[in-house]
């Protein structure tokens, strides 16, 4: 499309009228040539000069992005990445041969193998033509083949097409069956939404609940997973932190919730919801049943949405603190309170560790149908969650059953991973508690230890001189001396005057002794240096 030039071209191609003036006959083609030369970028093009080049500066981007922090992938991880690059290039001058990433719950990144049955089904879903190849029965277990065929029959367009925004119906039905079996209570696929991991689901619910404008608040545990603080910063929402009681095994005192709510009301902040992470991240606590009842009563009393982050429900290490879902506790209460509850789960944790597949779901209970419709609209803006993550979620909630061809192998892989995690947790925490000035609660669940460390005054002064928070100063020194990556407690929030760091116990069991030995040697040197 040439715009005005097109008109001139059409005029130029018309036979010249005998009565036209000679000047006009010769001038028009010349004007046309100049116009076309300009359109095609010729040397004689009559361009206007470009304005001075400009790129966005920090002062011009969304200020909420600047204020948001995500410590799990923060300064320590960036320095660790730089060290790894230096080691790969042969230019690193470090006293270790390997960086050990204990900063994030990412099991397969530190050596955990994926579950075989799940990967077989996923392979067949990605390449259904394998089902028609000779010898497929020798490569894939019969129940893996049957499961892939079941999914493909329900999803004829396969995993390369968009799904419904709420997620594949067959997977939502499997999630509902899982919840019903777990809790002994009915669940509906209409109340289940498949998401890219639990984090995306949290984001959707916060976008729905929080109204913007800086007047809303969210009750979040301290310490907390930085997803919440970062998301609230982006949405200009008050983070109303309630401190868990470390001395009492990171318990959740309801009196603190009441005090925080009252304080928020006095400041004109409208509290919208309560976040509970159970089992806890980074604390590793598992809430007792009675405490969960108190949380439900509190939310019902004040009209708050209860957001239950339950992604570590398979990671229970203390038999005296079994996992109870908030839905089960709610439904068993009599009389049953009126409560709006959202429960989140993920393929990233437990024993699967399928973090990169980004599978997860949330279930809503007690929501108004019109609000639920708005939630679906919100999710529809992104079309749907990734389809392989949806299938991975189905495989998480409906594993092989006794009698299935893959059951013995599957259950063996599951039990070995969980038993090893428990041994590693004990080994790590025992090692931490043997260090001078360090105390650490034994984790009741999840994948982390969150030790408290008493730093010498000279170390705190040195941190100040370096422009660092004291626990960040300690963690950076640990990284440079040992290659172990942890996350400073200041990234999660902590009681004023205390210092912590979070470490996973996910490195292979064969390396965990080395992790403890490196930490022990470093800590002794650090404490001696700043004594």
């Amino acid at each position: 499309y040439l715009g005005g030039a097109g008109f001139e071209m059409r005029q130029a191609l018309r036979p010249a009228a005998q009565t036209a003036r000679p000047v006009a006959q010769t001038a028009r083609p010349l004007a046309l040539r100049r116009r076309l030369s300009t359109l095609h970028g010729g040397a004689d093009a009559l361009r206007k000069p470009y304005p001075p080049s400009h790129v966005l500066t920090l002062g011009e981007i969304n200020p909420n992005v600047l204020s948001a922090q995500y410590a799990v992938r923060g300064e320590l991880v960036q320095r660790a990445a730089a060290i790894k690059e230096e080691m790969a290039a042969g230019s690193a001058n470090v006293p270790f041969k390997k960086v050990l990433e204990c900063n994030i719950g990412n099991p397969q990144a530190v050596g955990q193998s994926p579950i075989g049955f799940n990967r077989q089904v996923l392979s067949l879903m990605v390449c259904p033509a394998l089902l028609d190849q000779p010898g497929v029965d020798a490569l894939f277990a019969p129940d893996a083949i049957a499961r892939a065929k079941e999914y493909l029959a329900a999803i004829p367009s396969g995993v390369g097409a968009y799904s419904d925004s709420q997620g594949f119906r067959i997977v939502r039905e499997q999630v509902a069956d899982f919840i019903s079996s777990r809790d002994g209570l009915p669940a509906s696929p209409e109340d289940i939404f498949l998401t890219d991991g639990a984090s995306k689901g949290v984001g959707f619910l916060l976008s729905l609940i929080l109204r913007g404008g800086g007047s809303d608040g969210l009750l979040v545990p301290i310490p907390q997973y930085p997803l919440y603080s970062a998301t609230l910063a982006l949405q200009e929402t008050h983070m109303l932190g309630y401190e868990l009681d470390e001395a009492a095994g990171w318990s959740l005192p309801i009196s603190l919730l009441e005090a925080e709510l009252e304080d928020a009301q006095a400041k004109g902040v409208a509290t919208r919801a309560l976040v509970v992470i159970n089992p806890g991240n980074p604390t590793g606590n598992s809430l007792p049943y009675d405490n969960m009842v108190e949380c439900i009563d509190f939310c019902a009393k004040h009209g708050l949405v209860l957001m239950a982050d339950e992604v570590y429900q398979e990671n229970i290490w203390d038999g005296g603190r079994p996992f109870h879902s908030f839905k089960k506790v709610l439904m068993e209460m009599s009389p049953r309170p009126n409560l709006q509850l959202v429960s989140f789960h993920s393929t990233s944790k437990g024993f699967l560790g399928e973090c990169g597949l980004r599978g997860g779901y949330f279930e809503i209970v007690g929501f108004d149908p019109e609000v639920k419709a708005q939630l679906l609209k919100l999710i529809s803006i992104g079309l749907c969650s990734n389809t392989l993550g949806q299938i991975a979620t189905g495989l998480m909630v409906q594993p092989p059953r006794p009698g299935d061809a893959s059951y013995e192998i599957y259950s063996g892989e599951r039990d070995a991973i969980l038993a090893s995690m428990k041994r590693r947790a004990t080994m790590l925490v025992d090692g931490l508690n043997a260090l001078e000035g360090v105390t650490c609660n034994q984790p009741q669940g999840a994948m982390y230890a969150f030790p408290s460390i008493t730093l010498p005054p000279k170390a705190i002064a040195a941190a100040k001189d370096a422009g660092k928070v004291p626990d960040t100063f300690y963690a950076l020194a640990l990284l440079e001396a040992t290659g172990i990556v942890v996350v400073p407690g200041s990234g999660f929030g902590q009681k004023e005057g205390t210092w912590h760091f979070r470490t996973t116990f996910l490195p292979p069991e064969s390396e965990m002794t080395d992790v403890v030995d490196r930490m022990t040697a470093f800590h002794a040197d650090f404490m001696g240096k700043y004594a």
Side-chain angles (χ1 to χ4, degrees), residues 115-137:
I115 298 294
F117 173 82
N118 294 19
R119 287 303 181 90
Q120 288 186 42
V121 177
L122 287 167
S123 298
L124 293 169
M125 293 300 296
V126 171
C127 189
L130 290 173
L131 291 166
D132 300 322
Q133 297 299 310
V136 65
D137 294 340

Side-chain angles (χ1 to χ4, degrees), residues 382-395:
L383 297 176
C384 68
S385 61
N386 86 87
T387 54
L388 286 181
Q390 294 186 42
I391 298 299
T393 301
L395 295 168

Side-chain angles (χ1 to χ4, degrees), residues 122-201:
L122 287 167
S123 298
L124 293 169
M125 293 300 296
V126 171
C127 189
L130 290 173
L131 291 166
D132 300 322
Q133 297 299 310
V136 65
D137 294 340
L139 293 174
F140 296 92
D143 50 346
I145 293 173
R147 178 68 68 85
K149 288 182 176 179
E150 178 187 11
Y151 281 139
L152 290 167
I155 312 166
S157 54
V159 294
Y162 293 128
S163 74
D164 294 338
S165 293
Q166 202 166 338
F168 291 131
R169 175 81 189 192
I170 184 174
V171 175
R172 289 189 288 117
E173 289 173 346
Q174 291 173 339
V175 172
D177 289 343
F178 162 77
I179 294 171
S180 297
S181 177
R182 181 195 66 191
D183 296 340
L185 299 161
S188 169
E190 304 304 327
D191 295 329
I192 292 160
F193 297 76
L194 305 182
T195 55
D196 290 320
S199 298
K200 197 71 172 181

Side-chain angles (χ1 to χ4, degrees), residues 1-12 31-32 35-36 39:
Y1 175 66
L2 299 178
F7 173 78
E8 293 181 10
M9 182 178 288
R10 290 193 296 273
Q11 293 296 97
L32 176 60
R35 182 70 181 274
L36 291 176
L39 290 171

